[in-house]
């Protein structure tokens, strides 16, 4: 056919095609009358016929017992409506199942027909079916092709959800069996043989007629469909069997479900008391056979039909189908109108998806639907409309066609004439744009007076070919890059130097075209980001031209242009290291190679988009340089920056800082405990560093920003990691930095430090200068004990002090901290004995309180919690306590702050020691410590902006053996899910965090499940991939895929007293227990030492023994026949068992996954995805963040921020050997997403004068095109970066997050 049409069909057209469609006999031109739209070429008279001449024009009859129809005959669509028409053809015996579904209604669905949509308009959707759509059975009888054809259609109206499934099946009775039933000669031979074998039995009987045989078969099938206990078998030696059927019909009997071991026929095993529609496959088969017998009987001669004693008149289904499809009564064409068409139905009717008796209004409706869903083929549909209008001599349709042309649409007949005007055939395959444009220019030169007509025809051809180049030549318009090239007679590979030459040639002697030519050059400059052409437009002289590709490779000393991108990048990096003064020239070379290769890797390195253009400075987020093993921290910081209320808090941190007085500190709790002054001081330093970083991300004129090492050290080196680092450095081989003064508990006590390093400032030691000697001594002792702890303690949990040393009141508090595992902050390890003098690196969480912390101060007027608030002794507002002289070595003097290199090493060490959750928890904990509370809850816990943003509440229910339920409610900052077992979807993973499970309690187990009593605006999901292999005795990373979604609904996990929710949860848990048992049984059948399942093992053993038993001669092996039979039966039983298990598991999973499908009131939108590639010990992190305003995903990979063009890299399972896997997912409340997430916040400040040129080079500013249209040679001045004061960068969010306790609907 040559032209692929993607239009649809109105319901009457589809029904008419269902009558004409015969899958067994396709048309010679491969046209599918059911799914395809015919293309009628008016210029070709010998076109192949659409229909196969041998195909059946079906007369569909209804199989009512297999159909689902409305009892009252009312076919008005409602929610969850499905009608099924089971039909058979009363001519060819083919079967059809037509299902019409309205079970996916959208909230405002208005099914067709309506006043605006008088008919359904169905579009073929093959992607909704599993291929193959036409299935061929190779084992069919000789001369017969068994087939099964499935097709799916949907109504094209956006407000109608009607879906149509069509399935064709072959006749049940094969041709050989039909011959046994209706061939008089075969029947006669069969009957004569039976009479000859027993003349006495058949005395007085003659051979039956085909009609009699069919009637007896119909009765036999009818009897088989009646269920009856103890029914007498159908006698195999009876007259009825021997005369009508006999042994030749044995296969037919077996096919219908009859069984016999040589004796009488046992009736088919059908389900008792069926209720239509039938679901039993065997009953459906018998019903189909009975309907086909009716068809065969209806085709017998009159004398045989008159003698039949059963009703063989079919019930036609056409009327019911029309009612179901809403086309029983539609507007018909007036009979008085003459239809001057050459055939009964012109192909143009089918082209519009209409039928010949449509009223003009319906013809126009069909046309409008076609051009709406298939706009690319509008010319053909308009020609169909014109042809029908002319054939009908319809003024209304002719007027509508004229209106369509006046609106700029072209008809295919106009396209055909336009090609003929230039002497070409529209269907010519070798015709290229250059040839057509050349013909136009030649004709224009010969006949300048016909310019208007020639340009009109050329524009029609351009629209038909979708060629912007031809269109621009026809209209002399320059609106984009392609038209600009065409106007200047240039090509994409034309260099910038030649573009200016082409401009000169174009305007030479044609001053009227100068403005258009300049606009063309401007388009080209903007598209290429060419500063050379921009300079030419501004000054009249060509600026620096992009490096030639050959020159670029030579500049990087690359002779082999097939090298991988990574190798090219390596060569570039080597040259920039060796020749830093030539970085700009090397960058031009890499840019030329990146554009020539269209390399994503090279462009990302250059900070360019995939189209080769640099991301605009003010319109793109800034990356963060990796300063040493900080890839995860960079991802986390980008995430924090994207959360608008948190970013505003940090930028305005001075307004939120916690006061340092005694009363303020002792009145609040963070993480269920009181925090010390030192912790608050360190936390506020962390917040100040984050403010500096965020300000840099906002104001930096460069594509990436290098953070201070201090922000990495404060966030990555938690107290737990700090102790681990100190312990790693405390060994006998390390050099002694300070003289030792003896030892306490085997740990060396070092002497005074040497002179401070030159770069140390007064601020670096301010905290230590204010410390009392008594407190320092106490902290030294605690440090020594901590440093002597095991590495396991240092890495895995808080440092434990002996129980004998715990303060009585503090023991209970410490136990509470350990029970609150979800919110356990980093351990509090006090002290200043770090070898490198990190005096301001103070702890963030509470370790076990001990009597040592009290400094032997047992005065009754000083409470224990006073010491917990401030163990440093520098709280000027608190009462002073005088302690006894310490019986321990002198204190260690203040040490200088670590150098930049040492701070970087500490940050790197911290990054190696911490996982995703620990660093995230550390930063959030510090931010809470740094700021003042908005209010305190009933337990004294501080509620602040960080708490409200990131923390929800989880409630657990534990039931003891007596049935008493205990509840516990606690704050959580994330939900931990596990993917160790295998791949799963997000809901299955979340279920694992909340489902009922047995927990150990007092030596026994008790069931416990959890719910969410409060959901935070920002919901964090921690995917626990670090696993331990007990056999290998080592850790590993689980790389199983987690199928997460852009929207999740959290209703199912909320705490609720609704009994229906409780019942659903109980059902789901029971189904999961069943599923676990089924999967365990499946594992027994599928997991063997030889990697094949048990049915195959048994089948292989059975086959092997059969081969042994077949050996003859001297090597014969006797195998008991019973053993072979036992193995064969066992293999079948195992296969059936496994098939049943697979089916039950699939059904059970479907049931479980759909249990809460209607709980969709609380949506959360995916905002960020933390990704890791590597092993459990090493690898690389990056993050994807969604911009809800720009509706794009961006990838933040350290210093590179790029747009994600293909989101499969985020959501799809990777096939790489070491795939990137998500570690952390962040969802936000759907109604708050625009207030919560704002990744782009930029306000570029000016650079120092010496750096301004570089900044301008990184950010190409498009040329204003309107300035090029005037006939002037005035040059536009270069754009400058806007100068903004740093004081203006702190912005106040308008999202309402400063409202205190009730913010955006979040109440505490």
């Amino acid at each position: 056919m040559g032209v692929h049409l993607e239009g649809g069909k109105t319901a009457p057209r589809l029904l008419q095609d269902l009558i004409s469609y015969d899958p067994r006999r396709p048309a010679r031109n491969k046209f599918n009358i059911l799914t395809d739209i015919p293309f009628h070429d008016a210029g070709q008279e010998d076109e192949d016929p659409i229909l196969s001449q041998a195909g059946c024009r079906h007369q569909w009859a209804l199989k009512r017992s297999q159909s689902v129809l409305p009892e009252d005959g009312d076919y008005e669509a409602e929610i969850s409506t499905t009608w099924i028409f089971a039909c058979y053809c009363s001519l060819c015996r083919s079967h059809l199942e037509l299902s019409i579904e309205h079970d996916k209604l959208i909230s405002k669905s208005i099914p067709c027909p309506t006043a605006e949509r008088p008919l359904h308009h169905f579009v073929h959707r093959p992607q909704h079916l599993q291929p193959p759509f036409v299935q061929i059975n190779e084992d069919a009888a000789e001369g017969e092709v068994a087939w099964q054809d499935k097709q799916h259609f949907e109504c094209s109206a956006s407000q109608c959800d009607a879906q149509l499934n069509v399935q064709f099946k072959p006749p049940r009775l094969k041709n050989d069996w039909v011959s046994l039933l209706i061939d008089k000669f075969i029947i006669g031979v069969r009957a004569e043989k039976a009479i000859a074998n027993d003349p006495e039995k058949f005395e007085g009987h003659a051979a039956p007629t085909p009609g009699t045989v069919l009637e007896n078969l119909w009765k036999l099938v009818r009897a088989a469909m009646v269920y009856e206990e103890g029914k007498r078998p159908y006698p195999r030696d009876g007259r009825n069997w021997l005369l009508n059927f006999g042994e030749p019909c044995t296969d037919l009997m077996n096919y219908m479900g009859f069984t016999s071991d040589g004796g009488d026929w046992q009736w088919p095993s059908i389900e008792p008391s069926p209720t239509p529609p039938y679901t039993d496959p065997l009953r459906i088969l018998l019903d189909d056979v009975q309907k086909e017998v009716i068809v065969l009987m209806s085709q017998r001669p009159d004398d045989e039909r008159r003698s039949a004693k059963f009703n063989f008149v079919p019930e036609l289904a056409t009327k019911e189908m029309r009612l179901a499809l809403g086309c029983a009564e539609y507007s018909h064409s007036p009979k008085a109108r003459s239809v001057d068409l050459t055939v009964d139905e012109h192909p143009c009717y089918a082209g519009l998806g209409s039928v010949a008796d449509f009223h003009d209004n319906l013809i126009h409706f069909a046309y409008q639907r076609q051009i709406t869903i298939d706009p690319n083929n509008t010319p053909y549909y308009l020609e169909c409309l014109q042809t029908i209008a002319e054939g009908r001599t319809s003024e209304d349709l002719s007027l509508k066609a004229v209106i369509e042309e006046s609106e700029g649409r072209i008809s295919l007949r106009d396209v055909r004439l336009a090609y003929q005007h230039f002497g070409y055939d529209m269907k010519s395959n070798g015709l290229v744009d250059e040839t057509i444009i050349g013909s136009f220019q030649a004709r224009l030169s010969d006949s300048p007076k016909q310019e208007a007509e020639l340009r009109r025809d050329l524009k029609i051809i351009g629209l038909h070919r979708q060629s912007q180049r031809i269109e621009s030549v026809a209209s002399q318009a320059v609106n984009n890059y392609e038209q600009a090239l065409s106007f200047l007679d240039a090509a994409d590979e034309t260099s910038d130097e030649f573009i200016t030459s082409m401009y000169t040639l174009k305007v030479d002697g044609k001053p009227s075209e100068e403005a258009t030519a300049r606009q063309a050059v401007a388009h080209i400059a903007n598209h290429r980001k060419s500063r050379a052409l921009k300079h030419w437009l501004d000054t009249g002289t060509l600026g620096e031209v992009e490096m030639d590709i050959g020159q670029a490779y030579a500049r990087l000393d690359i002779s082999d242009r097939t090298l991988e991108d990574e190798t090219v990048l390596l060569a570039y990096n080597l040259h920039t290291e060796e020749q830093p003064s030539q970085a700009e020239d090397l960058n031009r070379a890499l840019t030329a190679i990146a554009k020539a290769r269209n390399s994503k890797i090279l462009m990302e390195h250059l900070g360019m988009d995939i189209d080769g253009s640099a991301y605009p400075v003010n319109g793109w987020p800034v990356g963060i340089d990796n300063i040493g093993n900080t890839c995860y921290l960079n991802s986390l910081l980008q995430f924090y920056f994207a959360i608008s209320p948190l970013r505003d808090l940090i930028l305005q941190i001075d307004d939120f800082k916690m006061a340092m007085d005694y009363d303020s500190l002792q009145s609040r709790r963070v993480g269920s405990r009181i925090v010390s002054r030192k912790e608050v001081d360190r936390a506020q330093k962390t917040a100040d560093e984050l403010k500096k970083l965020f300000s840099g991300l906002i104001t930096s004129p460069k594509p990436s920003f290098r953070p201070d090492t201090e922000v990495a050290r404060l966030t990555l080196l938690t107290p737990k990691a700090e102790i681990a680092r100190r312990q790693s450095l405390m060994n006998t081989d390390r050099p002694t930095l300070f003289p030792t003064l003896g030892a306490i508990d085997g740990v060396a006590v070092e002497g005074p430090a040497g002179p401070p390093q030159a770069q140390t400032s007064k601020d670096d030691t301010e905290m230590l200068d204010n410390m009392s000697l008594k407190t320092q001594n106490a902290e030294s002792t605690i440090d020594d004990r901590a440093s002597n702890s095991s590495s396991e303690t240092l890495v895995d949990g808080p440092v434990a002090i002996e129980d004998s040393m715990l303060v009585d009141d503090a023991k209970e508090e410490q136990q509470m901290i350990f029970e609150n595992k979800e919110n356990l902050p980093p351990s509090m390890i006090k002290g200043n004995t770090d070898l490198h003098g990190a005096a301001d690196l103070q702890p963030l969480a509470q370790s076990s309180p001990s009597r040592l912390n009290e400094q032997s101060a047992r005065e009754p007027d000083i409470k224990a919690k006073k010491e917990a608030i401030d163990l440093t002794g520098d709280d000027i507002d608190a009462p002073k306590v005088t302690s006894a002289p310490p019986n321990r070595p002198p204190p260690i003097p203040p040490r200088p702050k670590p150098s930049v290199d040492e701070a970087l090493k500490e940050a790197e060490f911290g990054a190696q020691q911490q996982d995703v959750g620990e660093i995230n928890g550390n930063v959030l904990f510090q931010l809470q410590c740094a700021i003042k509370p908005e209010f305190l809850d009933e337990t004294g816990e501080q509620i602040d902006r960080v708490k409200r943003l990131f923390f929800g509440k989880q409630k657990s229910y534990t039931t003891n053996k007596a049935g008493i339920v205990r509840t516990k409610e606690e704050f959580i900052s994330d939900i931990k899910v596990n993917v160790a077992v295998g791949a799963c979807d997000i809901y299955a993973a979340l279920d694992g965090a909340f489902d009922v499970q047995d927990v150990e309690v007092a030596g026994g187990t008790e069931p416990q499940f959890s719910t969410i009593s409060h959901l935070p605006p920002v919901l964090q999901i921690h995917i626990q991939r670090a696993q331990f292999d007990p056999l290998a005795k080592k850790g590993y990373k689980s790389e199983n895929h987690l199928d997460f979604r852009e929207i999740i609904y959290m209703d199912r996990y909320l705490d609720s007293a609704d009994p229906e929710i409780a019942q659903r949860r109980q059902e789901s848990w029971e189904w999961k227990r069943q599923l676990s048992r089924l999967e365990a049984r499946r594992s027994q059948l599928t997991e063997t030492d030889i990697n094949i399942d048990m049915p195959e093992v048994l089948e292989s053993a059975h086959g092997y023994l059969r081969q042994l038993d077949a050996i003859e001669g001297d090597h014969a092996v006797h195998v008991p026949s019973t053993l072979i039979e036992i193995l064969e039966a066992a293999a079948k039983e195992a296969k059936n068992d496994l098939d049943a298990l697979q089916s039950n598991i699939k059904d059970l999973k479907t049931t479980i996954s759909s249990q809460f499908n209607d709980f969709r009131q609380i949506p959360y939108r995916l905002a960020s995805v933390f990704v890791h590639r590597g092993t459990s010990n090493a690898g690389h992190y990056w993050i994807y963040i969604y911009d809800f305003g720009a509706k794009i995903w961006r990838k933040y990979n350290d210093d590179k921020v790029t747009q994600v063009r293909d989101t499969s890299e985020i959501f799809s399972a990777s096939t790489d050997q070491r795939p990137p896997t998500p570690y952390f997912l962040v969802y936000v409340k759907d109604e708050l997403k625009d207030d919560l997430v704002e990744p782009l916040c930029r306000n570029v400040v000016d650079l120092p004068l010496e750096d301004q040129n570089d900044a301008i080079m990184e950010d190409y500013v498009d040329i204003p095109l309107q300035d090029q249209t005037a006939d002037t040679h005035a040059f536009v001045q270069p754009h400058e970066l806007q100068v903004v004061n740093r004081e203006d960068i702190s912005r106040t969010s308008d999202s309402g997050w400063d409202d205190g306790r009730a913010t955006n609907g979040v109440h505490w």
Side-chain angles (χ1 to χ4, degrees), residues 27-43:
R28 292 193 298 271
N29 56 6
K30 306 299 182 181
F31 175 78
N32 187 317
I33 190 175
L34 182 63
T35 62
D36 295 338
I37 304 296
F39 177 78
H40 173 68
D41 190 348

Side-chain angles (χ1 to χ4, degrees), residues 39 125 151 191 573 628 667 678 793 819 972 1035 1262 1277:
F39 177 78
R125 301 294 191 202
Q151 305 296 344
N573 290 331
S667 63
K678 241 181 204 183
T793 301
E819 289 178 355
I972 57 171
D1262 280 351
Q1277 296 300 318

Side-chain angles (χ1 to χ4, degrees), residues 381-419:
Y381 299 127
L382 180 54
E383 184 180 41
C384 289
L385 182 66
Q386 292 171 334
T387 302
I388 294 174
E390 293 165 0
R392 289 186 168 193
T393 62
S394 167
E395 295 180 0
D396 289 342
L397 291 181
S398 297
L399 178 60
K400 287 180 170 61
V402 171
I403 293 174
E404 290 295 300
E405 289 183 314
S406 68
E407 293 177 351
R409 296 187 176 92
I410 59 172
S411 169
L412 196 60
R413 62 173 59 174
D414 296 327
V415 175
R416 197 178 294 111
L417 291 173
Y419 276 98

Side-chain angles (χ1 to χ4, degrees), residues 7-72:
K9 301 182 179 187
T10 60
R13 176 81 252 169
L14 189 61
L15 283 177
Q16 184 168 311
D17 290 344
L18 283 174
I19 293 174
S20 304
Y21 180 56
D22 192 340
R24 299 170 298 178
R25 299 175 178 86
R28 292 193 298 271
N29 56 6
K30 306 299 182 181
F31 175 78
N32 187 317
I33 190 175
L34 182 63
T35 62
D36 295 338
I37 304 296
F39 177 78
H40 173 68
D41 190 348
Q44 183 176 344
E45 301 299 334
D46 57 344
E47 186 177 13
D48 288 340
I50 290 175
L51 298 180
S52 170
Q53 299 301 320
C56 176
R57 291 189 63 83
H58 305 292
Q59 292 182 7
W60 295 115
L62 193 63
K63 294 186 288 187
R64 192 168 287 274
S65 296
Q66 299 180 36
S67 301
V68 179
L69 307 176
E71 296 180 0
D72 56 359

Side-chain angles (χ1 to χ4, degrees), residues 578-595:
E578 296 173 356
Q579 306 168 8
S581 62
Q582 301 182 32
E584 183 177 346
D585 192 48
L586 293 168
N587 192 73
R588 289 177 56 232
L590 188 63
T591 301
I593 296 173
K595 289 184 178 181

